[in-house]
mmCIF file of all heavy atoms in Angstrom:
data_model
loop_
_atom_site.group_PDB
_atom_site.id
_atom_site.type_symbol
_atom_site.label_atom_id
_atom_site.label_comp_id
_atom_site.label_asym_id
_atom_site.label_seq_id
_atom_site.Cartn_x
_atom_site.Cartn_y
_atom_site.Cartn_z
ATOM 1 N N LEU A 20 0.826 -1.199 0.000
ATOM 2 C CA LEU A 20 0.000 0.000 0.000
ATOM 3 C C LEU A 20 0.865 1.256 0.000
ATOM 4 O O LEU A 20 1.923 1.289 0.624
ATOM 5 C CB LEU A 20 -0.863 -0.014 1.268
ATOM 6 C CG LEU A 20 -1.621 1.228 1.658
ATOM 7 C CD1 LEU A 20 -2.756 1.469 0.681
ATOM 8 C CD2 LEU A 20 -2.155 1.097 3.063
ATOM 9 N N ILE A 21 0.380 2.272 -0.679
ATOM 10 C CA ILE A 21 0.938 3.621 -0.585
ATOM 11 C C ILE A 21 -0.153 4.500 0.007
ATOM 12 O O ILE A 21 -1.299 4.455 -0.440
ATOM 13 C CB ILE A 21 1.356 4.168 -1.965
ATOM 14 C CG1 ILE A 21 2.468 3.323 -2.572
ATOM 15 C CG2 ILE A 21 1.784 5.637 -1.854
ATOM 16 C CD1 ILE A 21 2.785 3.682 -4.008
ATOM 17 N N VAL A 22 0.192 5.279 1.021
ATOM 18 C CA VAL A 22 -0.753 6.233 1.611
ATOM 19 C C VAL A 22 -0.257 7.629 1.245
ATOM 20 O O VAL A 22 0.831 8.023 1.637
ATOM 21 C CB VAL A 22 -0.842 6.078 3.143
ATOM 22 C CG1 VAL A 22 -1.804 7.110 3.721
ATOM 23 C CG2 VAL A 22 -1.274 4.666 3.513
ATOM 24 N N ALA A 23 -1.054 8.336 0.470
ATOM 25 C CA ALA A 23 -0.728 9.697 0.078
ATOM 26 C C ALA A 23 -1.396 10.647 1.066
ATOM 27 O O ALA A 23 -2.618 10.639 1.224
ATOM 28 C CB ALA A 23 -1.205 9.988 -1.337
ATOM 29 N N LEU A 24 -0.577 11.448 1.733
ATOM 30 C CA LEU A 24 -1.095 12.409 2.706
ATOM 31 C C LEU A 24 -1.296 13.749 2.011
ATOM 32 O O LEU A 24 -0.379 14.530 1.843
ATOM 33 C CB LEU A 24 -0.137 12.552 3.888
ATOM 34 C CG LEU A 24 0.105 11.283 4.696
ATOM 35 C CD1 LEU A 24 1.112 11.550 5.800
ATOM 36 C CD2 LEU A 24 -1.194 10.761 5.274
ATOM 37 N N GLY A 25 -2.513 13.992 1.594
ATOM 38 C CA GLY A 25 -2.865 15.271 0.996
ATOM 39 C C GLY A 25 -3.049 15.211 -0.502
ATOM 40 O O GLY A 25 -2.585 14.305 -1.197
ATOM 41 N N GLU A 26 -3.747 16.209 -0.970
ATOM 42 C CA GLU A 26 -4.076 16.337 -2.385
ATOM 43 C C GLU A 26 -2.826 16.479 -3.247
ATOM 44 O O GLU A 26 -2.725 15.857 -4.312
ATOM 45 C CB GLU A 26 -4.992 17.552 -2.556
ATOM 46 C CG GLU A 26 -5.486 17.806 -3.945
ATOM 47 C CD GLU A 26 -6.401 19.006 -3.973
ATOM 48 O OE1 GLU A 26 -7.526 18.908 -3.438
ATOM 49 O OE2 GLU A 26 -5.988 20.040 -4.524
ATOM 50 N N SER A 27 -1.869 17.282 -2.801
ATOM 51 C CA SER A 27 -0.650 17.502 -3.594
ATOM 52 C C SER A 27 0.134 16.211 -3.781
ATOM 53 O O SER A 27 0.585 15.904 -4.887
ATOM 54 C CB SER A 27 0.244 18.551 -2.937
ATOM 55 O OG SER A 27 -0.402 19.795 -2.911
ATOM 56 N N ALA A 28 0.296 15.453 -2.703
ATOM 57 C CA ALA A 28 1.032 14.190 -2.798
ATOM 58 C C ALA A 28 0.316 13.228 -3.742
ATOM 59 O O ALA A 28 0.946 12.597 -4.594
ATOM 60 C CB ALA A 28 1.186 13.569 -1.414
ATOM 61 N N ALA A 29 -0.978 13.112 -3.585
ATOM 62 C CA ALA A 29 -1.746 12.197 -4.430
ATOM 63 C C ALA A 29 -1.669 12.603 -5.891
ATOM 64 O O ALA A 29 -1.461 11.767 -6.773
ATOM 65 C CB ALA A 29 -3.195 12.158 -3.965
ATOM 66 N N ASN A 30 -1.823 13.887 -6.159
ATOM 67 C CA ASN A 30 -1.789 14.348 -7.545
ATOM 68 C C ASN A 30 -0.402 14.221 -8.163
ATOM 69 O O ASN A 30 -0.279 13.970 -9.354
ATOM 70 C CB ASN A 30 -2.307 15.781 -7.647
ATOM 71 C CG ASN A 30 -3.817 15.815 -7.622
ATOM 72 O OD1 ASN A 30 -4.475 14.950 -8.179
ATOM 73 N ND2 ASN A 30 -4.374 16.808 -6.969
ATOM 74 N N THR A 31 0.628 14.355 -7.361
ATOM 75 C CA THR A 31 1.989 14.144 -7.870
ATOM 76 C C THR A 31 2.178 12.681 -8.249
ATOM 77 O O THR A 31 2.696 12.370 -9.325
ATOM 78 C CB THR A 31 3.034 14.571 -6.825
ATOM 79 O OG1 THR A 31 2.868 15.962 -6.568
ATOM 80 C CG2 THR A 31 4.443 14.309 -7.315
ATOM 81 N N ILE A 32 1.761 11.785 -7.382
ATOM 82 C CA ILE A 32 1.890 10.354 -7.661
ATOM 83 C C ILE A 32 1.073 9.961 -8.892
ATOM 84 O O ILE A 32 1.550 9.218 -9.752
ATOM 85 C CB ILE A 32 1.437 9.526 -6.438
ATOM 86 C CG1 ILE A 32 2.433 9.712 -5.285
ATOM 87 C CG2 ILE A 32 1.297 8.042 -6.788
ATOM 88 C CD1 ILE A 32 1.946 9.168 -3.958
ATOM 89 N N LEU A 33 -0.144 10.462 -8.975
ATOM 90 C CA LEU A 33 -1.056 10.073 -10.050
ATOM 91 C C LEU A 33 -0.944 10.940 -11.299
ATOM 92 O O LEU A 33 -1.611 10.651 -12.295
ATOM 93 C CB LEU A 33 -2.503 10.123 -9.535
ATOM 94 C CG LEU A 33 -2.837 9.144 -8.419
ATOM 95 C CD1 LEU A 33 -4.201 9.468 -7.824
ATOM 96 C CD2 LEU A 33 -2.788 7.711 -8.945
ATOM 97 N N ASN A 34 -0.143 11.991 -11.226
ATOM 98 C CA ASN A 34 -0.012 12.938 -12.336
ATOM 99 C C ASN A 34 -1.402 13.452 -12.754
ATOM 100 O O ASN A 34 -1.798 13.369 -13.905
ATOM 101 C CB ASN A 34 0.715 12.301 -13.518
ATOM 102 C CG ASN A 34 1.145 13.342 -14.540
ATOM 103 O OD1 ASN A 34 1.366 14.494 -14.195
ATOM 104 N ND2 ASN A 34 1.240 12.939 -15.787
ATOM 105 N N SER A 35 -2.133 13.964 -11.756
ATOM 106 C CA SER A 35 -3.486 14.459 -12.002
ATOM 107 C C SER A 35 -3.673 15.802 -11.319
ATOM 108 O O SER A 35 -2.749 16.327 -10.698
ATOM 109 C CB SER A 35 -4.511 13.454 -11.495
ATOM 110 O OG SER A 35 -4.563 13.447 -10.085
ATOM 111 N N THR A 36 -4.865 16.329 -11.432
ATOM 112 C CA THR A 36 -5.210 17.596 -10.782
ATOM 113 C C THR A 36 -6.542 17.487 -10.041
ATOM 114 O O THR A 36 -7.239 18.475 -9.854
ATOM 115 C CB THR A 36 -5.297 18.741 -11.816
ATOM 116 O OG1 THR A 36 -6.271 18.392 -12.810
ATOM 117 C CG2 THR A 36 -3.955 19.005 -12.472
ATOM 118 N N GLU A 37 -6.877 16.294 -9.623
ATOM 119 C CA GLU A 37 -8.160 16.047 -8.960
ATOM 120 C C GLU A 37 -8.190 16.653 -7.556
ATOM 121 O O GLU A 37 -7.190 16.620 -6.846
ATOM 122 C CB GLU A 37 -8.411 14.543 -8.843
ATOM 123 C CG GLU A 37 -8.675 13.851 -10.152
ATOM 124 C CD GLU A 37 -10.012 14.234 -10.751
ATOM 125 O OE1 GLU A 37 -10.990 14.458 -10.009
ATOM 126 O OE2 GLU A 37 -10.069 14.325 -11.989
ATOM 127 N N PRO A 38 -9.341 17.148 -7.132
ATOM 128 C CA PRO A 38 -9.473 17.590 -5.739
ATOM 129 C C PRO A 38 -9.499 16.379 -4.812
ATOM 130 O O PRO A 38 -9.878 15.267 -5.218
ATOM 131 C CB PRO A 38 -10.805 18.338 -5.718
ATOM 132 C CG PRO A 38 -11.555 17.824 -6.885
ATOM 133 C CD PRO A 38 -10.537 17.406 -7.913
ATOM 134 N N ILE A 39 -9.118 16.593 -3.574
ATOM 135 C CA ILE A 39 -9.037 15.482 -2.625
ATOM 136 C C ILE A 39 -10.389 14.795 -2.443
ATOM 137 O O ILE A 39 -10.448 13.582 -2.204
ATOM 138 C CB ILE A 39 -8.435 15.930 -1.276
ATOM 139 C CG1 ILE A 39 -8.007 14.703 -0.465
ATOM 140 C CG2 ILE A 39 -9.389 16.832 -0.518
ATOM 141 C CD1 ILE A 39 -7.053 14.992 0.651
ATOM 142 N N GLU A 40 -11.468 15.537 -2.595
ATOM 143 C CA GLU A 40 -12.804 14.940 -2.464
ATOM 144 C C GLU A 40 -13.019 13.824 -3.487
ATOM 145 O O GLU A 40 -13.752 12.866 -3.232
ATOM 146 C CB GLU A 40 -13.899 16.008 -2.621
ATOM 147 C CG GLU A 40 -13.917 17.042 -1.525
ATOM 148 C CD GLU A 40 -12.887 18.166 -1.732
ATOM 149 O OE1 GLU A 40 -12.320 18.274 -2.837
ATOM 150 O OE2 GLU A 40 -12.648 18.909 -0.773
ATOM 151 N N ASN A 41 -12.404 13.947 -4.659
ATOM 152 C CA ASN A 41 -12.530 12.919 -5.696
ATOM 153 C C ASN A 41 -11.521 11.792 -5.511
ATOM 154 O O ASN A 41 -11.689 10.723 -6.090
ATOM 155 C CB ASN A 41 -12.337 13.518 -7.084
ATOM 156 C CG ASN A 41 -13.426 14.501 -7.447
ATOM 157 O OD1 ASN A 41 -14.439 14.610 -6.774
ATOM 158 N ND2 ASN A 41 -13.212 15.233 -8.520
ATOM 159 N N LEU A 42 -10.470 12.037 -4.757
ATOM 160 C CA LEU A 42 -9.414 11.044 -4.581
ATOM 161 C C LEU A 42 -9.672 10.119 -3.392
ATOM 162 O O LEU A 42 -9.318 8.940 -3.436
ATOM 163 C CB LEU A 42 -8.066 11.753 -4.404
ATOM 164 C CG LEU A 42 -7.592 12.565 -5.608
ATOM 165 C CD1 LEU A 42 -6.407 13.436 -5.216
ATOM 166 C CD2 LEU A 42 -7.221 11.644 -6.757
ATOM 167 N N ARG A 43 -10.262 10.649 -2.342
ATOM 168 C CA ARG A 43 -10.542 9.837 -1.156
ATOM 169 C C ARG A 43 -11.625 8.812 -1.472
ATOM 170 O O ARG A 43 -12.447 9.003 -2.347
ATOM 171 C CB ARG A 43 -11.043 10.711 -0.005
ATOM 172 C CG ARG A 43 -9.984 11.530 0.675
ATOM 173 C CD ARG A 43 -10.506 12.242 1.915
ATOM 174 N NE ARG A 43 -10.911 11.275 2.925
ATOM 175 C CZ ARG A 43 -12.181 10.994 3.217
ATOM 176 N NH1 ARG A 43 -13.175 11.618 2.627
ATOM 177 N NH2 ARG A 43 -12.464 10.093 4.147
ATOM 178 N N ASN A 44 -11.610 7.727 -0.725
ATOM 179 C CA ASN A 44 -12.632 6.675 -0.822
ATOM 180 C C ASN A 44 -12.738 6.061 -2.212
ATOM 181 O O ASN A 44 -13.820 5.686 -2.652
ATOM 182 C CB ASN A 44 -14.006 7.197 -0.381
ATOM 183 C CG ASN A 44 -14.017 7.616 1.062
ATOM 184 O OD1 ASN A 44 -13.433 6.954 1.907
ATOM 185 N ND2 ASN A 44 -14.655 8.728 1.348
ATOM 186 N N ASN A 45 -11.623 5.982 -2.902
ATOM 187 C CA ASN A 45 -11.578 5.352 -4.210
ATOM 188 C C ASN A 45 -10.538 4.249 -4.205
ATOM 189 O O ASN A 45 -9.545 4.324 -3.493
ATOM 190 C CB ASN A 45 -11.212 6.363 -5.305
ATOM 191 C CG ASN A 45 -12.381 7.221 -5.695
ATOM 192 O OD1 ASN A 45 -13.455 6.708 -5.990
ATOM 193 N ND2 ASN A 45 -12.195 8.524 -5.688
ATOM 194 N N ASN A 46 -10.767 3.244 -5.015
ATOM 195 C CA ASN A 46 -9.777 2.193 -5.202
ATOM 196 C C ASN A 46 -8.778 2.674 -6.236
ATOM 197 O O ASN A 46 -8.993 2.526 -7.436
ATOM 198 C CB ASN A 46 -10.448 0.893 -5.667
ATOM 199 C CG ASN A 46 -11.353 0.313 -4.620
ATOM 200 O OD1 ASN A 46 -11.043 0.376 -3.432
ATOM 201 N ND2 ASN A 46 -12.467 -0.252 -5.033
ATOM 202 N N LEU A 47 -7.698 3.264 -5.765
ATOM 203 C CA LEU A 47 -6.677 3.797 -6.659
ATOM 204 C C LEU A 47 -5.495 2.843 -6.705
ATOM 205 O O LEU A 47 -5.264 2.062 -5.780
ATOM 206 C CB LEU A 47 -6.229 5.182 -6.175
ATOM 207 C CG LEU A 47 -7.331 6.234 -6.088
ATOM 208 C CD1 LEU A 47 -6.812 7.484 -5.409
ATOM 209 C CD2 LEU A 47 -7.869 6.559 -7.467
ATOM 210 N N ASN A 48 -4.736 2.935 -7.791
ATOM 211 C CA ASN A 48 -3.617 2.030 -8.005
ATOM 212 C C ASN A 48 -2.451 2.829 -8.558
ATOM 213 O O ASN A 48 -2.629 3.708 -9.392
ATOM 214 C CB ASN A 48 -4.055 0.955 -8.995
ATOM 215 C CG ASN A 48 -3.017 -0.108 -9.181
ATOM 216 O OD1 ASN A 48 -1.975 0.144 -9.769
ATOM 217 N ND2 ASN A 48 -3.299 -1.295 -8.690
ATOM 218 N N TYR A 49 -1.266 2.510 -8.070
ATOM 219 C CA TYR A 49 -0.045 3.118 -8.610
ATOM 220 C C TYR A 49 0.978 2.011 -8.817
ATOM 221 O O TYR A 49 1.423 1.379 -7.856
ATOM 222 C CB TYR A 49 0.507 4.185 -7.660
ATOM 223 C CG TYR A 49 1.807 4.758 -8.138
ATOM 224 C CD1 TYR A 49 1.838 5.640 -9.208
ATOM 225 C CD2 TYR A 49 3.002 4.392 -7.548
ATOM 226 C CE1 TYR A 49 3.033 6.160 -9.666
ATOM 227 C CE2 TYR A 49 4.206 4.913 -8.004
ATOM 228 C CZ TYR A 49 4.209 5.792 -9.065
ATOM 229 O OH TYR A 49 5.387 6.295 -9.522
ATOM 230 N N ASN A 50 1.298 1.747 -10.054
ATOM 231 C CA ASN A 50 2.271 0.704 -10.412
ATOM 232 C C ASN A 50 1.971 -0.633 -9.741
ATOM 233 O O ASN A 50 2.851 -1.303 -9.216
ATOM 234 C CB ASN A 50 3.698 1.141 -10.077
ATOM 235 C CG ASN A 50 4.201 2.217 -11.011
ATOM 236 O OD1 ASN A 50 3.629 2.454 -12.065
ATOM 237 N ND2 ASN A 50 5.270 2.871 -10.624
ATOM 238 N N GLY A 51 0.699 -1.004 -9.699
ATOM 239 C CA GLY A 51 0.305 -2.280 -9.135
ATOM 240 C C GLY A 51 0.105 -2.293 -7.633
ATOM 241 O O GLY A 51 -0.229 -3.328 -7.066
ATOM 242 N N LEU A 52 0.308 -1.171 -6.987
ATOM 243 C CA LEU A 52 0.111 -1.074 -5.535
ATOM 244 C C LEU A 52 -1.165 -0.291 -5.250
ATOM 245 O O LEU A 52 -1.493 0.667 -5.943
ATOM 246 C CB LEU A 52 1.285 -0.360 -4.867
ATOM 247 C CG LEU A 52 2.628 -1.051 -4.942
ATOM 248 C CD1 LEU A 52 3.713 -0.127 -4.417
ATOM 249 C CD2 LEU A 52 2.604 -2.342 -4.153
#
């Protein structure tokens, strides 16, 4: 598991611009993790 703390960290990992409301509570994947 990877835990992204905050919108900026998540968007950097995912190369996106989504608000945290859209990122939380989703089944997200990064390189198979």
Side-chain angles (χ1 to χ4, degrees):
L20 168 70
I21 297 172
V22 178
L24 299 178
E26 183 179 290
S27 296
N30 280 323
T31 298
I32 291 169
L33 296 169
N34 193 27
S35 73
T36 58
E37 291 290 325
I39 196 162
E40 294 82 12
N41 295 349
L42 296 169
R43 285 187 64 254
N44 297 320
N45 282 309
N46 294 323
L47 301 172
N48 186 290
Y49 176 74
N50 288 345
L52 296 172

